[in-house]
Amino acid sequence: MDPESRTNGTAVTEFILLGLVETQGLRPVVFVVFLLAYLLTVGGNLSILAAILVENKLHTPMYFFLGNLSVLDVGCITVTVPSMLARLLSHKHTVPYGACLTQLFFFHQLAGVDCFLLTAMAYDRFLAICQPLTYSTRMSQTVQRILVAVSWALAFTNALTHTVAISTLNFCGPNVINHFYCDLSQLFQLSCSSTQLNELLLFGLGILMAGAPVILIVTSYIHVAAAVLRIRSAEGRKKAFSTCGSHLTVVGIFYGTGVFSYMRLGSVEASDKDKGIGILNTVISPMLNPLIYSLRNPDVQGALWQVLTGKRPLA
């Protein structure tokens, strides 16, 4: 490596993403599967968003947050999958250094907002079930908008911090990433300089971005469970729990895969596992969310029927 490139800190101008499969014959199959998954995810989430907009019954704080979550899910899969599909078509695996960092930034931006939105939804369920008399004032439209705006601002700060921190590292040797998108753990492994500070930063911000929301979500649901168990009628308990079940399922999938992914930083042999977790995070989770929220929810199902057919469902 020449002295000039050493001073610039970035001798590597592009990375090579190996993608999901290296076998030539499997690439068309992977392309079709992921194209269908992308279309289903975007279609499903935009349908949920349209249903929330057209159905007056769904003009509530919980569905306001769900609409935002649907937009995020479309964003999350759009940040990773279309570029992977383009590489499969073109047989070109290189990604410019700047494009790699841009993808990293937007992925962490959207995932960060997801963390806080899921927390806001748990807080909404807490107020609705535990504080019903003050719910409408404490979860007003202004409060809802503030919660969403703060979520975006905190996630932006986190994503920008990681992107700036990774841009200070030197990449002067290997540039092959055994993944289908750029993420921190893979870039740490390729860096010529010490990543100790970056990993400490990831750990510290991870506690704020994931640890604090998890604590708030668990605390909210402990109060919710205690309040629901005090309801005497079995029907009343069932109805109260049914509004929380979908949210808890999404929280479990999102945090389960996310925590597992970042707890294994530095493991060189984990690349194939990383791909599997990456698919769960960026494809399966956004694709399942519309199904989870519409399953056993007659209001959402009725609104979706109206969006898809233009007719109101029969009572």
Side-chain angles (χ1 to χ4, degrees):
M1 186 178 67
D2 60 77
E4 190 183 348
S5 61
R6 191 182 291 274
T7 25
N8 286 342
T10 310
V12 170
T13 57
E14 60 184 21
F15 295 102
I16 298 167
L17 285 169
L18 293 182
L20 287 172
V21 286
E22 293 178 57
T23 313
Q24 193 72 32
L26 287 175
R27 284 177 185 168
V29 178
V30 171
F31 179 85
V32 171
V33 168
F34 277 82
L35 177 62
L36 287 173
Y38 179 71
L39 294 174
L40 277 171
T41 303
V42 172
N45 280 288
L46 291 182
S47 297
I48 288 279
L49 185 61
I52 291 166
L53 292 171
V54 301
E55 179 55 71
N56 288 329
K57 280 184 187 175
L58 303 182
H59 292 174
T60 64
M62 183 173 76
Y63 290 107
F64 171 75
F65 293 128
L66 179 57
N68 279 275
L69 197 65
S70 293
V71 172
L72 283 176
D73 285 339
V74 171
C76 265
I77 197 169
T78 301
V79 163
T80 53
V81 171
S83 57
M84 182 193 78
L85 295 176
R87 284 191 297 275
L88 283 169
L89 275 182
S90 65
H91 304 288
K92 185 184 174 187
H93 297 286
T94 55
V95 179
Y97 174 82
C100 193
L101 290 198
T102 302
Q103 186 180 56
L104 175 86
F105 170 80
F106 281 108
F107 179 74
H108 282 270
Q109 167 73 58
L110 295 166
V113 181
D114 232 327
C115 283
F116 293 117
L117 264 187
L118 290 171
T119 311
M121 290 171 85
Y123 177 60
D124 172 70
R125 291 300 81 209
F126 163 74
L127 288 181
I129 292 168
C130 302
Q131 311 281 337
L133 297 178
T134 57
Y135 176 64
S136 56
T137 52
R138 293 174 74 176
M139 191 50 80
S140 64
Q141 283 192 353
T142 306
V143 172
Q144 293 165 44
R145 286 169 188 156
I146 288 170
L147 286 170
V148 171
V150 169
S151 297
W152 277 93
L154 290 172
F156 175 81
T157 306
N158 174 65
L160 188 64
T161 303
H162 285 309
T163 308
V164 170
I166 204 105
S167 70
T168 64
L169 298 178
N170 293 332
F171 296 96
C172 53
N175 67 338
V176 177
I177 297 173
N178 186 14
H179 212 313
F180 63 98
Y181 64 91
C182 296
D183 203 4
L184 292 170
S185 55
Q186 289 78 34
L187 291 174
F188 287 170
Q189 289 169 19
L190 296 180
S191 174
C192 302
S193 44
S194 170
T195 60
Q196 190 176 3
L197 185 62
N198 297 72
E199 290 182 23
L200 280 172
L201 195 63
L202 181 62
F203 181 75
L205 286 173
I207 290 171
L208 289 173
M209 295 293 295
V214 165
I215 290 167
L216 290 170
I217 289 168
V218 170
T219 305
S220 295
Y221 275 108
I222 288 170
H223 286 288
V224 166
V228 170
L229 291 173
R230 286 197 295 269
I231 299 172
R232 291 183 180 179
S233 105
E235 189 60 35
R237 283 198 298 271
K238 186 181 174 185
K239 188 179 177 184
F241 271 132
S242 70
T243 64
C244 306
S246 303
H247 179 248
L248 281 172
T249 306
V250 171
V251 166
I253 294 169
F254 180 79
Y255 281 104
T257 54
V259 168
F260 188 67
S261 175
Y262 287 103
M263 285 300 104
R264 297 178 303 96
L265 277 175
S267 171
V268 180
E269 297 175 1
S271 291
D272 288 333
K273 289 179 184 175
D274 285 340
K275 290 181 190 179
I277 292 165
I279 292 168
L280 275 171
N281 276 332
T282 62
V283 182
I284 306 295
S285 182
M287 189 167 63
L288 286 178
N289 284 355
L291 183 65
I292 292 166
Y293 279 106
S294 59
L295 208 65
R296 298 170 70 185
N297 189 325
D299 290 337
V300 173
Q301 288 169 5
L304 280 172
W305 177 260
Q306 189 183 344
V307 166
L308 296 172
T309 65
K311 299 173 186 175
R312 283 199 166 271
L314 297 170

